[in-house]
C-alpha cells in the first residue's frame, strides 16, 4: 500500500447484500472502486451489530485492492490480532472506544496493519494531536456511527480542514465516513480529505446481477470530488 493523496472511493459493504459479500466486493472493484470499507459493529459501542473477523477473513480473497476495516467496537485491543490475521490492510479504531487509544494504535501497527483512528462528530480534531506520528489514517465521521444512509453533518468540514493543517507533510490519509455523495464529496475533498467512504450512494440502483450503476455512482462521486480539488 503506497501513500498518495489522490481521491480514493471506498464503498462500504454495509450497504451491500449481506448474503453475497464476496461477489459484491468483486463487483465494486470491477466497477472502479479504490478501497473496500468494512464496517464492524458490536451493538455496544454503536447501536447496531454487523459481523466480526471470520467474515472479514471470508471476504478477503474477493478483495484485490485495500481492505479497510473500521472497528466500531469496544473494547478493541482483544480483537486486533484476529482482524490483522483476517487480512485487514488498515484497521481503524475509535478514539472514544476506550481510555488507551495510544496503546491500541501501537498494537495495530505491531500486528502488521496500517493504523487508523476515527473521530465521532462530537470529538474535536485536537484529540489526535499526540497521535499524529503513529497513525496512517484519520477517519472523520460525518454521521454518528451505526447506520448507513444518514444525513451528512456539515460542521465536520471545518474539522477536516483543521486536521489537514495539523497533518502537514506526514503521510496520513484523511478519510470521510457518512453521508458522502456527489453533493457532499466536493466539500470534504476541498477541505483536504482523500479517502471517501460511501455506502448508500455507491450501492443504490445496482446489484451483483446489475453492477453498472455501482460504476456510475463511483464515477459521479469521484468526478465531484476531483472537480472541487481542481477548482481550489
Ligand atoms: C456508519 C458506517 C459507514 C456507513 C456509511 O456507521 O461507518 O461506513 O456505512 O454509509 P453511508 O454512505 O450510507 O452514509
Ligand atoms: Zn465505516
Amino acid at each position: 500500500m503506497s501513500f498518495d493523496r489522490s481521491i480514493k472511493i471506498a464503498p462500504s459493504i454495509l450497504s451491500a447484500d449481506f448474503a453475497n459479500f464476496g461477489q459484491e466486493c468483486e463487483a465494486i472493484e470491477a466497477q472502479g472502486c479504490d478501497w473496500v470499507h468494512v464496517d464492524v459493529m458490536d451493538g455496544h459501542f454503536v447501536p447496531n451489530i454487523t459481523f466480526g473477523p471470520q467474515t472479514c477473513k471470508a471476504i478477503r480473497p474477493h478483495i484485490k485492492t485495500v481492505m479497510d476495516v473500521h472497528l466500531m467496537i469496544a473494547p478493541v485491543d482483544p480483537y486486533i490480532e484476529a482482524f490483522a490475521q483476517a487480512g485487514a490492510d488498515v484497521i481503524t479504531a475509535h478514539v472514544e472506544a476506550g481510555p488507551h487509544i495510544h496503546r491500541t494504535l501501537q498494537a495495530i501497527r505491531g500486528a502488521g496493519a496500517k493504523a487508523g483512528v476515527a473521530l465521532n462528530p462530537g470529538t474535536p480534531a485536537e484529540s489526535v494531536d499526540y497521535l499524529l506520528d503513529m497513525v496512517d489514517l484519520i477517519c472523520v465521521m460525518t454521521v454518528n456511527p451505526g447506520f448507513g444512509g444518514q444525513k451528512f453533518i456539515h460542521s465536520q468540514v471545518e474539522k477536516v480542514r483543521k486536521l489537514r493543517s495539523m497533518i502537514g507533510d506526514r503521510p496520513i490519509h484523511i478519510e470521510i465516513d457518512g453521508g458522502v455523495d456527489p453533493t457532499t464529496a466536493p466539500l470534504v475533498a476541498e477541505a483536504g480529505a482523500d479517502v471517501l467512504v460511501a455506502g448508500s450512494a455507491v450501492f443504490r440502483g445496482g446489484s451483483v446481477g446489475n453492477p453498472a450503476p455501482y460504476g456510475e455512482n463511483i464515477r459521479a462521486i469521484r468526478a465531484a470530488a476531483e472537480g472541487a480539488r481542481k477548482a481550489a
Side-chain angles (χ1 to χ4, degrees):
M1 236 185 109
S2 60
F3 180 85
D4 69 62
R5 292 191 208 280
S6 64
I7 296 292
K8 289 164 280 294
I9 309 296
S12 163
I13 61 166
L14 189 62
S15 295
D17 173 4
F18 269 46
N20 231 342
F21 277 144
Q23 284 187 55
E24 289 276 42
C25 291
E26 289 173 16
I28 50 178
E29 288 194 341
Q31 293 297 323
C33 78
D34 302 281
W35 292 13
V36 176
H37 185 80
V38 179
D39 285 310
V40 177
M41 303 187 186
D42 67 351
H44 166 75
F45 179 69
V46 288
N48 192 9
I49 300 176
T50 54
F51 46 76
Q54 289 92 338
T55 303
C56 293
K57 191 174 180 182
I59 65 179
R60 175 73 259 194
H62 302 274
I63 297 174
K64 293 198 202 77
T65 60
V66 171
M67 182 165 165
D68 175 34
V69 176
H70 178 193
L71 297 182
M72 286 161 276
I73 66 174
V76 178
D77 296 10
Y79 304 102
I80 290 170
E81 196 57 46
F83 284 104
Q85 289 297 321
D89 296 293
V90 183
I91 299 178
T92 296
H94 271 259
V95 75
E96 308 86 1
H100 297 296
I101 186 66
H102 189 283
R103 175 185 291 151
T104 299
L105 294 167
Q106 281 178 328
I108 293 172
R109 280 196 171 170
K114 299 278 185 197
V117 62
L119 279 66
N120 280 336
T123 302
E126 289 75 13
S127 63
V128 300
D129 243 347
Y130 295 93
L131 304 173
L132 292 175
D133 290 317
M134 56 191 308
V135 294
D136 303 288
L137 176 148
I138 301 172
C139 173
V140 177
M141 293 303 305
T142 39
V143 298
N144 285 295
F147 302 95
Q150 303 182 78
K151 213 170 139 358
F152 182 89
I153 301 173
H154 282 265
S155 60
Q156 303 305 302
V157 177
E158 248 348 277
K159 191 195 286 186
V160 174
R161 209 179 297 286
K162 196 178 276 185
L163 286 165
R164 182 65 195 87
S165 118
M166 286 164 64
I167 285 170
D169 290 334
R170 294 178 182 87
I172 301 176
H173 297 290
I174 298 183
E175 176 176 76
I176 306 301
D177 192 359
V180 172
D181 65 19
T183 67
T184 54
L187 309 174
V188 288
E190 188 273 326
D194 63 307
V195 183
L196 306 183
V197 174
S200 42
V202 165
F203 285 93
R204 75 166 57 109
S207 66
V208 290
N210 173 33
Y214 297 168
E216 287 157 24
N217 294 338
I218 289 168
R219 286 191 292 279
I221 298 167
R222 191 192 304 282
E226 287 177 349
R229 280 256 187 106
K230 279 195 199 103

